[in-house]
Amino acid sequence: MPRFVIDPMTASFPEKARRISQAALVMLVGVMGAGCAMAPQSPVSSGTKAIQVHDVIHAGEGPAWDLATHTLYYVGDDRISQWKDWSPSRDFRNPVPGANGLILDRQGRLLACEAGTRRVTRTDRNGNVRIIAERFEGRKFNSPNDLSIDSKDRIYFTDPRYGPRVTMEQRDAAGNLVEGVYRIDVSGKITRVLGRESVDRPNGVLVSPDDRHLFVADNNNIEGGTRKLWRFDLDHDGNVVPASRKLLFDWKTSRGPDGIKIDSKNRLYVAAGLNVANPPHETAKPYTGGIYILSYEGKLIDFIPVPKDEVTNCAFGDDDLRTLYITAGGTLWSIHLQNPGRVLFQPNER
C-alpha cells in the first residue's frame, strides 16, 4: 500500500491516534481505488503532510511558479497576487474579474484565464496586458478556466461555464451550446480541438512534456455530470485524435478533477474531491478533498489530504521544484516531495 500524508488535524495527537488516522486513510483510499490498481513509488515521504502557508491571502486558484524570479503567482478575490520569500503577498494585477488558471510562457510572461471578462490574457513583468483570445468564430468565450502550453508555444485552454448559462454564445454547427477546449497557435489562430462530442464541462488541462497527449479534467457538478480525467492523443499539428479518448480516473459523485500538474517522473497531480458534502449533487465520499497522485496511465499512487474545501489547483515551486503549492478555499498549502516537478521553461531558456 502507498504511504499517506497525515491531516494537520491529527498531527498533534498521540502516536496511537495518528496510527488510527493513517489506517483510516488507507482504508478510505482502498475504497477509492476499487477497480483501479495501486501503483508503487510514491513521491511523498512517510509522515509528510501538507501545511498551510500563513499570511498568504486570496489564494483561490492558479498557482504558477516563476523559477527565474522565485515568485509564486496565484489568484483569488478578482486579483492576481504574487508571493516571494515568505514575505506578505502583494497585488500583481487588481482587479482581474474571475481570474483563474495561470501559467508562465517561455519569455516569463504570465498567461491568465479571466472568466469574468471571458478572455485569455498575457501580462509581462512590467504589468502590460495583452488580450490573446476573446472570441471564436465571432462569439465570446464562455468563461476561460485553465491553460497549458506545449513545446511549440501553442496554448491550450478550457472554456466551461459554471453558473448562469443565459449569456453563453459558443455553439457547434448544429446550434448546440459548447463547453470546449481550444488551441491558440503562435500566429494567433484559435482552433476548437474538443467539443461536446468528447467532453462535458472541461476544467483543468495539461499537455504532456513530449506534446503527445492532452489531459482534460472533465468536471460537471450537476446531477449525472461527468467527473473524470481523460487523456487524448495529439498529432504533430496539435490536433486531438478524437478516437483516442482514454479514461484515467473517475471521481463518481464526489467533486470532480480541477487543476492538473506533472512531475519529472510523469506522475500526475490532480486537485479533486470534497471534505464536506455539497448537496444535492456532490458528495464527500468516496473521494475526499486533496491532491490525487496518479501514474501516467491513471493508477492511483498516493493521496495528499487538504482539509480546506475546495481544493482547486497546484504548482511545483522553490529552487529544486520539490515543493508542491496547493490552493484551497482561499488558502495556500505546501508539501515537500522526494522528486522535482516540472515548470514549463527553465530561466536559461528565457
Side-chain angles (χ1 to χ4, degrees):
M1 296 293 290
R3 294 181 292 274
F4 293 91
V5 187
I6 304 302
D7 186 297
M9 295 287 292
T10 67
S12 60
F13 285 3
E15 179 66 14
K16 181 177 179 181
R18 187 192 68 80
R19 291 179 179 177
I20 293 172
S21 175
Q22 189 171 32
L25 278 171
V26 171
M27 292 177 63
L28 171 63
V29 182
V31 173
M32 295 190 312
C36 180
M38 292 292 187
Q41 300 177 335
S42 171
V44 181
S45 297
S46 180
T48 304
K49 63 181 183 295
I51 60 172
Q52 185 173 344
V53 179
H54 294 287
D55 300 323
V56 174
I57 58 176
H58 314 303
E61 249 287 1
W65 178 260
D66 186 346
L67 190 56
T69 63
H70 310 285
T71 301
L72 184 75
Y73 293 87
Y74 60 89
V75 304
D77 293 340
D78 293 333
R79 71 189 72 192
I80 300 176
S81 301
Q82 54 184 179
W83 177 70
K84 183 177 181 179
D85 298 331
W86 296 87
S87 299
S89 57
R90 64 185 184 89
D91 288 351
F92 177 66
R93 282 182 56 199
N94 184 15
V96 189
N100 204 308
L102 303 175
I103 196 169
L104 286 114
D105 70 6
R106 189 183 298 272
Q107 288 75 40
R109 300 169 298 189
L110 189 68
L111 305 178
C113 288
E114 302 181 12
T117 51
R118 302 167 70 173
R119 64 188 191 180
V120 180
T121 61
R122 181 166 57 213
T123 307
D124 66 22
R125 296 190 190 281
N126 297 318
N128 300 309
V129 181
R130 179 183 176 186
I131 300 170
I132 58 174
E134 193 170 27
R135 295 176 181 271
F136 177 69
E137 297 181 341
R139 301 184 179 98
K140 287 182 68 67
F141 289 112
N142 301 322
S143 310
N145 185 283
D146 205 357
L147 70 174
S148 185
I149 309 178
D150 70 9
S151 66
K152 298 179 177 64
D153 295 340
R154 297 176 296 207
I155 302 165
Y156 294 80
F157 71 94
T158 58
D159 187 42
R161 171 56 68 90
Y162 294 96
R165 304 171 67 81
V166 293
T167 61
M168 290 177 64
E169 298 180 20
Q170 289 300 323
R171 296 180 180 272
D172 61 17
N176 299 308
L177 292 174
V178 175
E179 296 173 83
V181 181
Y182 298 82
R183 187 189 69 241
I184 309 171
D185 294 336
V186 175
S187 65
K189 178 185 177 182
I190 301 174
T191 303
R192 182 187 291 148
V193 297
L194 287 172
R196 57 183 293 121
E197 71 285 350
S198 301
V199 290
D200 188 2
R201 184 166 293 169
N203 192 309
V205 64
L206 175 74
V207 184
S208 64
D210 58 7
D211 297 344
R212 292 183 55 214
H213 295 110
L214 185 72
F215 299 88
V216 180
D218 205 352
N219 182 15
N220 191 348
N221 55 9
I222 64 172
E223 183 177 6
T226 303
R227 294 122 196 248
K228 299 176 179 179
L229 179 64
W230 304 108
R231 192 183 76 194
F232 297 87
D233 292 349
L234 292 172
D235 65 20
H236 179 74
D237 295 321
N239 297 311
V240 170
V241 179
S244 67
R245 188 177 75 166
K246 174 182 173 63
L247 174 63
L248 296 187
F249 204 86
D250 185 356
W251 280 263
K252 303 186 184 302
T253 59
S254 297
R255 186 174 189 270
D258 201 322
I260 318 165
K261 295 299 185 292
I262 192 168
D263 71 8
S264 59
K265 301 288 187 181
N266 282 343
R267 291 172 294 214
L268 304 171
Y269 296 69
V270 187
L274 276 179
N275 298 299
V276 179
N278 181 30
H281 304 315
E282 291 181 308
T283 65
K285 295 180 179 180
Y287 300 103
T288 54
I291 301 296
Y292 290 77
I293 305 175
L294 307 175
S295 74
Y296 200 83
E297 298 299 323
K299 304 302 183 183
L300 181 62
I301 296 173
D302 211 336
F303 172 66
I304 303 172
V306 179
K308 185 80 171 179
D309 283 333
E310 298 171 346
V311 184
T312 57
N313 215 326
C314 59
F316 296 98
D318 293 350
D319 290 344
D320 59 2
L321 297 179
R322 293 174 187 264
T323 299
L324 187 71
Y325 289 104
I326 304 163
T327 49
T331 59
L332 182 68
W333 297 73
S334 70
I335 184 169
H336 185 75
L337 301 173
Q338 297 186 68
N339 303 109
R342 297 181 188 268
V343 293
L344 191 60
F345 301 106
Q346 304 294 324
N348 60 5
E349 293 181 301
R350 291 178 177 149

